[in-house]
Amino acid sequence: AAALTGSAKSTWASFLKSIASFNGDLASMTAPPFILSKTSLVEYSAYWTEHPKLFVAPAKEADPEKRALLVLKWFLSTLKQQYSSRSEKLGSEKKPLNPFLGELFLGHWDDEEAGRTELISEQVSHHPPVTAYSIFNEKHGVKLQGYNGQKAGFASMTINVKQVGVARLRLEKWDEEYLITLPALHIEGLVYGSPFVELEKSTIIQSSTGFFAKIEYAGKGWVGGKSNSVTAELYDNKNGKLLYTISGQWTKELVVKQGKTEIERFEHGDKNPTTALSIKPIEEQDPLESRRAWAKVGAAIDKGDYEETGIEKSKIENAQRDLRKKEKEEGTTWERRYFSAVDQVEAIDALVDRAGKFMKGVLGLTPLCMDEPAKTNGVWVFDTKKYDDVISGRKAEEVKRAGEIVLEATE
Ligand SMILES: CCC(=O)OC[C@H](C)CC[C@H]1O[C@H]2C[C@H]3[C@@H]4CC=C5C[C@@H](O)CC[C@]5(C)[C@H]4CC[C@]3(C)[C@H]2[C@@H]1C
């Protein structure tokens, strides 16, 4: 990205000073206008499935070991979209809009082979910000659900972000579940005014059929590594045998090896184009849907009219504050439309336990502490009953009412 010049340079300098007194809440930072994105964080759940074919591939594989490899390959293929698609498109990482409580992002991908994959993303918590999502492909019985929040800190001109939450992939046909933990990241390039994400430390994938993957992230300067480097190892829980490795740069190309033999390459780009998400035209969207709710703010950002951006953002933020105040007075809470918070999920605990035993017993590693990632303000799960009530129209009244409340508030 071009280095900053003129007024942008001075606003960025004062912004960097402001970050120095950073309180850990990314959303509360007032970033300079040119770093603002009109995309709300609630849209980021879509990054999990921009390669629908890779998402459904494991469902079609009868061999459990090969299935585990396909899940690992799909996960690694999502990293580029999750963590570097804004930099690729916009020249640098941007600050997403901070979703309001109940904000929705709904869409689907249609693929000639995979069929339809549905996306439901909902901002289930505003303080702290937590997004929950459910992405499912009925044709192949592949269901991903998860939630994430961020714990951020600032040190030596870098923003460090620890992700809170987990992703769970379920393959109905094989009655199999995968627990996926989320990578820590830091924002580099702040000093130059062109921030970008680099992933760090490691994550795991543990399957209910007994396969474990350890994924390590490294950036430039790490042992002469290149930026966006990743090394993944897939093990058999039963005997600790290393089955496959996948390594490379998650923004470019990944090489799959069995022992020393290369068996496959995955390359981003024309060979593996992403599939565009389809969403309803804004005029047909529910008032809680992100792009409708933020339409005026987005238009102001597109115009570069930051005065207008501020005015329109404040309307939404003030309306939200009034809603929370009213709920507090009435002793009610906002009804999450598709997700519910539970204290714990047996399936997650069982997979965390299995992974911990394997890491400690066989790999001699300190088991990942899952208490932190799994606990935001509860573990958020996709509530199929709530979903069915909405789809069947049984909740039409509440859905309509919720939209009206938001519309009235922002009038
Ligand atoms: C807050 C100070 C500020 O505005 O700095 C501006 C800079 C753009 C850096 C801060 C922002 O950087 C953005 C990167 C965002 C993460 C990117 C990808 C993901 C994966 C997704 O599955 C979950 C969300 C997550 C972790 C994003 C979280 C929010 C991040 C860190 C944005 C920062 C505000």
Side-chain angles (χ1 to χ4, degrees), residues 89-388:
K89 262 191 236 125
L90 311 169
S92 88
E93 189 51 74
K94 296 285 181 185
K95 183 173 192 309
L97 290 172
N98 178 25
F100 54 84
L101 182 58
E103 185 175 335
L104 300 171
F105 189 60
L106 310 171
H108 65 266
W109 293 269
D110 281 333
D111 173 275
E112 73 285 344
E113 188 194 306
R116 172 158 293 196
T117 304
E118 298 277 352
L119 162 69
I120 295 176
S121 181
E122 179 170 5
Q123 196 66 7
V124 291
S125 170
H126 183 66
H127 280 307
V130 179
T131 307
Y133 54 88
S134 170
I135 299 174
F136 51 93
N137 177 297
E138 294 297 356
K139 178 180 167 191
H140 295 279
V142 181
K143 304 188 172 181
L144 176 73
Q145 63 171 305
Y147 61 98
N148 48 52
Q150 297 84 35
K151 287 194 181 315
F154 180 73
S156 56
M157 294 314 282
T158 308
I159 296 180
N160 300 302
V161 180
K162 182 176 188 216
Q163 292 201 66
V164 178
V166 289
R168 300 159 62 197
L169 181 73
R170 177 155 182 75
L171 304 178
E172 295 293 351
K173 182 173 173 182
W174 309 105
D175 188 19
E176 196 169 72
E177 172 145 350
Y178 292 77
L179 175 79
I180 301 165
T181 61
L182 306 173
L185 58 99
H186 59 270
I187 305 288
E188 298 196 357
L190 276 176
V191 178
Y192 312 108
S194 66
F196 65 93
V197 168
E198 183 56 275
L199 300 181
E200 60 182 55
K201 301 194 180 76
S202 62
T203 62
I204 66 141
I205 299 180
Q206 174 66 54
S207 88
S208 54
T209 31
F211 295 97
F212 172 90
K214 182 175 187 305
I215 304 146
E216 290 189 304
Y217 308 93
K220 224 192 349 274
W222 285 64
V223 203
K226 297 186 203 129
S227 57
N228 314 135
S229 294
V230 65
T231 307
E233 295 173 336
L234 181 64
Y235 291 91
D236 183 330
N237 282 117
K238 282 187 301 301
N239 52 22
K241 186 166 171 277
L242 173 59
L243 304 169
Y244 301 96
T245 61
I246 303 185
S247 59
Q249 288 178 283
W250 47 266
T251 39
K252 294 190 179 66
E253 181 179 65
L254 298 162
V255 178
V256 185
K257 285 190 181 166
Q258 196 167 25
K260 295 225 175 315
T261 320
E262 177 178 320
I263 53 174
E264 193 195 339
R265 268 177 193 254
F266 172 80
E267 198 180 336
H268 276 293
D270 319 357
K271 286 190 190 144
N272 291 288
T274 54
T275 302
L277 177 73
S278 308
I279 62 170
K280 280 190 202 139
I282 287 203
E283 57 280 0
E284 290 171 29
Q285 288 185 13
D286 181 297
L288 293 171
E289 287 188 64
S290 184
R291 292 194 188 172
R292 174 173 170 182
W294 292 104
K296 290 195 186 122
V297 170
I301 291 178
D302 283 342
K303 270 189 308 189
D305 183 339
Y306 301 114
E307 169 94 14
E308 173 78 1
T309 302
I311 293 168
E312 290 304 332
K313 267 177 92 170
S314 307
K315 274 189 205 165
I316 292 177
E317 286 154 0
N318 294 336
Q320 285 297 308
R321 266 190 284 278
D322 296 347
L323 278 179
R324 297 295 86 78
K325 206 154 110 305
K326 198 155 74 67
E327 287 158 0
K328 207 170 158 83
E329 283 151 12
E330 293 166 357
T332 59
T333 52
W334 181 264
E335 164 82 17
R336 275 65 169 176
R337 185 168 299 179
Y338 298 107
F339 297 89
S340 298
V342 296
D343 281 340
Q344 68 170 116
V345 173
E346 261 73 50
I348 293 182
D349 295 348
L351 290 172
V352 167
D353 185 48
R354 184 163 197 179
K357 285 196 172 65
F358 184 75
M359 290 174 84
K360 197 161 174 221
V362 179
L363 300 183
L365 297 168
T366 22
L368 78 161
C369 53
M370 279 300 286
D371 54 340
E372 169 87 11
K375 297 277 180 292
T376 48
N377 32 19
V379 178
W380 289 93
V381 294
F382 182 56
D383 188 322
T384 45
K385 167 125 182 26
K386 286 185 173 183
Y387 173 71
D388 293 343

Side-chain angles (χ1 to χ4, degrees), residues 12 15-16 18-19 22 25-32 35-36 41 44-48 81-84 86 92-96 131 133 148-150 152 159-163 182-183 185 187-188 190 194-197 199:
W12 187 258
F15 164 63
L16 289 181
S18 75
I19 298 195
F22 184 48
D25 175 8
L26 283 170
S28 69
M29 295 295 297
T30 41
I35 205 79
L36 289 182
L41 201 50
Y44 284 40
S45 309
Y47 291 132
W48 282 101
Q81 292 309 102
Q82 294 274 13
Y83 300 103
S84 81
R86 279 102 23 215
S92 88
E93 189 51 74
K94 296 285 181 185
K95 183 173 192 309
T131 307
Y133 54 88
N148 48 52
Q150 297 84 35
I159 296 180
N160 300 302
V161 180
K162 182 176 188 216
Q163 292 201 66
L182 306 173
L185 58 99
I187 305 288
E188 298 196 357
L190 276 176
S194 66
F196 65 93
V197 168
L199 300 181

